[in-house]
Structure formats: C-alpha cells, structure tokens
Amino acid sequence: MQKEIDRLINSYRSNALSKEEAGMLAGWLEESDENRAYFRECLARRELPASAKAEREWARFAARNKILFAVPEVAGRRRSRFLRYVAAAAVVAAGVCAVWFWQRTPDVASETGAGAEISAAQPLEYRTACGERLDIVLPDGSKVCMNSEATLTVDPGFGKATREIEFDGEAFFTISPDKNCPFIIHSANNNYTVLGTSFNLQSYARENFAVVTLHTGCLQAQVWKDVIILDPNEELQIDATANTITKRAVHVDDSIGWIEGRLIFSGHPLKDVANKLSRYYQVKINIHDEIANLQYTGMVDRETLPEALRMISATSPVKLSITNIDGEYFLSRAKRK
C-alpha cells in the first residue's frame, strides 16, 4: 500500500495523475492528519513546490463549494511556521480533491461591447499605458476602473461555471452578483474570489507588494497557502518579500483617491509610497532597503514631484535624503548633522 501511495505522490508532483488516481490520493489524504503530513514531507524532501495546476483547481473548487480555511491574522506579525504548515497541508489536500471533482466546462462565447467573441484562440485583454486610466465593462456587466500600467485578461471560459480573469496592476472592481458563478481574480500568485462585491486591488507582480481593500460585500483571498476572509472596511496587505500578511480596519475611500488624482497613504510602507509616486509622476523613484518598510501616513494632492518629496521627507518617520540622477530619484535616510 505504501509503495502505491508513493507512486501516486510522484505522479502528483509531475502533474500526471489520472482522474481515478486523483480520487485514490484524495481519499487517502482525507483519512488522517498523518497522511497529509506525510504528503507535505514528501514534497518538501524533494524540494519541489505543490502543483500549480492543483492550486488553481483548488481555488475554483473552493469558490464553487464555499470551502473556507480561515486563518486568523495578527497585524504586523510574521505567521508561525506551525500555522503555515497546517494551512498548507489542508489546502494541498483539498487541491487534489479539486482535481478529482472539478469538471472543466466548455468554452462559452461572450460578447463585448464591440460584439467580439471570447474563444480559446482569442482571449480578451485590456491594457493601460503609463499615466493612463481606463474604465471597462466586462461581458457579465462587472465594472473595472484600471489604473496606470495595468493588464487585465479574461479567461476563455468566462461566464458559465466561473468568471475568471488574470490581473496585474491596480483597479477598482464592482462585481455583478451571481451566487452560482463566482468571480475569481488570479494576480501575482494569489487568488481573490467574490460574488457581488466592490473593492480596490493593487497587485503589481514586479513590486512583490499587494493591497486589497474591501468596500462592500465579502471577499475571499487565497494568499500562498492561507485563505483569509475580508469584511467591508477591511484591508489586506501582502508583502511577498517580507513574507507577511497584515489584515486591518481602514477608511476605504483612501484606497481610491487615485481615481480623483490624489494619493492617500495610511500606514503604508515607504516602498509602496515610492512605487505609487513612480506611477503617479511617471518617473523612477527608488527607496533604500534600510527604510523601505517604515510606515508612512500622508497625502499627495496635485503637488509637483519636488514639492511632494519635500513634504514626505518632512512627515515621514525619518528625514529623507533625496537625490536626483538624470531624472531618476533615490530616497534614503538623511545623515545626522
């Protein structure tokens, strides 16, 4: 029996499980915590990550069946290794079940405003250039206001069993409710599942820092191996570099100041401030690692870039040294006199 289980695990690692084998492995994983722990140990020992396909199928399966593994978060604290281990084992086990139970629906043609069809050969994609903003309406009636340098791609099967998109950038989403067809956003290795919800999502993959702020409804975020539920007036900050998740109550209107030309920061790290300023003023702004995670609160409202940088230096936790080299700015801690 053990030899057969090891064979199934190896097939899982190589993403070569048949439907019958996936059912066998899923049943074995559901039998005990020891089985799930052994499964995770096998993956860790071979230094290979869990199947990306299984994780994607888990997100779909969980959304359709309302499976939630809520992990309590403590603001500003790194999660314990034990908590991450337990959550990871649960999600991977459910991921294999998802491969077993999920039946892929046929591609469904959806209509855009121009009458174009979405097919496997023709995904629907929206892009914004540097300094550009774009308002769009998706085929299901959901509305998206996209910020600068964002990309949104609609999956070919959009509109039947699930509504799925790929997203990189920042946008304010107003999702049309459909309890039988959840809306799923795949962004920077994280998944966000909503039914009828409005929220702001900032998730540029190149920045390794994401923020989702829930305005109305309910939102489920699958981050790494954890699933976190947001209620209205809550924000989730995801720092892939520091390996931390922070959930907190906020004033949600601050998250969409960018739509009216304002940048509002409420306890955001200086590295996020620098990234937003870079997009806002269309220049490269670098922040020194020493001060990148210091929390900043303030607002930029149509000031010139030199004015904004002087104001941020005066109101940040430390006085900043601002250096301009050929139009590129470098911010660091100012030397004490």
Side-chain angles (χ1 to χ4, degrees):
M1 178 63 179
Q2 187 61 48
K3 184 179 293 186
E4 177 65 9
I5 291 299
D6 289 340
R7 184 188 69 80
L8 291 175
I9 292 174
N10 286 332
S11 296
Y12 171 81
R13 286 176 47 244
S14 59
N15 201 22
L17 281 175
S18 68
K19 182 177 179 180
E20 181 180 355
E21 289 173 331
M24 293 171 57
L25 183 57
W28 178 79
L29 284 168
E30 291 176 335
E31 289 177 0
S32 68
D33 290 338
E34 288 76 15
N35 289 354
R36 290 188 286 274
Y38 177 78
F39 179 79
R40 292 297 298 162
E41 288 169 4
C42 288
L43 296 181
R45 185 165 61 247
R46 297 173 184 272
E47 299 181 349
L48 288 173
S51 165
K53 179 179 179 181
E55 291 181 10
R56 174 65 57 83
E57 298 294 352
W58 152 246
R60 291 170 172 163
F61 181 73
R64 292 182 67 194
N65 294 277
K66 299 181 175 61
I67 297 175
L68 307 177
F69 292 94
V71 179
E73 299 296 338
V74 179
R77 293 183 58 189
R78 191 181 301 269
R79 298 163 301 157
S80 70
R81 291 182 180 271
F82 174 76
L83 195 59
R84 291 184 60 199
Y85 179 86
V86 172
V91 172
V92 171
V96 176
C97 295
V99 176
W100 180 25
F101 287 109
W102 174 258
Q103 294 180 351
R104 224 178 254 284
T105 58
D107 291 340
V108 179
S110 303
E111 295 183 355
T112 66
E117 291 187 346
I118 303 173
S119 67
Q122 186 183 0
L124 185 62
E125 185 176 274
Y126 301 92
R127 290 180 179 271
T128 53
C130 183
E132 181 185 9
R133 205 182 78 204
L134 177 65
D135 293 311
I136 63 174
V137 179
L138 295 177
D140 68 333
S142 296
K143 299 177 181 179
V144 186
C145 179
M146 296 172 59
N147 201 355
S148 173
E149 300 180 88
T151 302
L152 186 154
T153 305
V154 181
D155 278 6
F158 187 96
K160 190 175 181 181
T162 59
R163 298 172 288 170
E164 299 193 43
I165 66 170
E166 303 280 345
F167 183 71
D168 182 78
E170 181 172 27
F172 182 72
F173 293 81
T174 304
I175 303 303
S176 297
D178 186 343
K179 63 181 180 180
N180 296 318
C181 189
F183 193 104
I184 302 175
I185 301 174
H186 305 291
S187 182
N189 298 318
N190 302 320
N191 301 309
Y192 305 92
T193 302
V194 300
L195 294 174
T197 299
S198 61
F199 59 97
N200 193 80
L201 174 62
Q202 174 197 324
S203 179
Y204 291 87
R206 65 182 183 271
E207 295 177 0
N208 292 322
F209 184 82
V211 182
V212 57
T213 309
L214 183 62
H215 289 232
T216 62
C218 183
L219 185 146
Q220 169 184 302
Q222 181 189 347
V223 183
W224 305 317
K225 302 298 181 182
D226 298 335
V227 175
I228 302 103
I229 308 302
L230 287 184
D231 292 321
N233 303 309
E234 290 186 336
E235 177 178 277
L236 195 66
Q237 293 187 6
I238 305 161
D239 192 329
T241 302
N243 194 30
T244 59
I245 301 175
T246 303
K247 177 180 173 181
R248 60 179 188 156
V250 294
H251 297 291
V252 293
D253 289 344
D254 291 353
S255 69
I256 54 173
W258 60 269
I259 296 177
E260 298 178 348
R262 297 192 305 275
L263 298 180
I264 304 174
F265 306 101
S266 178
H268 283 218
L270 282 174
K271 62 185 177 185
D272 185 46
V273 175
N275 288 331
K276 287 187 175 181
L277 290 175
S278 294
R279 290 191 295 273
Y280 188 81
Y281 290 102
Q282 301 177 43
V283 299
K284 179 64 176 175
I285 300 175
N286 305 278
I287 191 83
H288 195 280
D289 288 344
E290 180 191 7
I291 61 172
N293 291 312
L294 293 180
Q295 303 296 299
Y296 177 77
T297 297
M299 181 174 68
V300 174
D301 188 4
R302 299 179 178 84
E303 288 86 359
T304 66
L305 178 56
E307 290 172 343
L309 292 176
R310 284 195 295 270
M311 178 186 65
I312 291 171
S313 177
T315 56
S316 70
V318 296
K319 186 174 178 59
L320 301 179
S321 171
I322 303 168
T323 304
N324 182 350
I325 303 177
D326 296 330
E328 185 172 347
Y329 288 82
F330 297 82
L331 309 184
S332 59
R333 183 193 295 265
K335 293 181 179 180
R336 296 178 181 176
K337 295 182 178 180

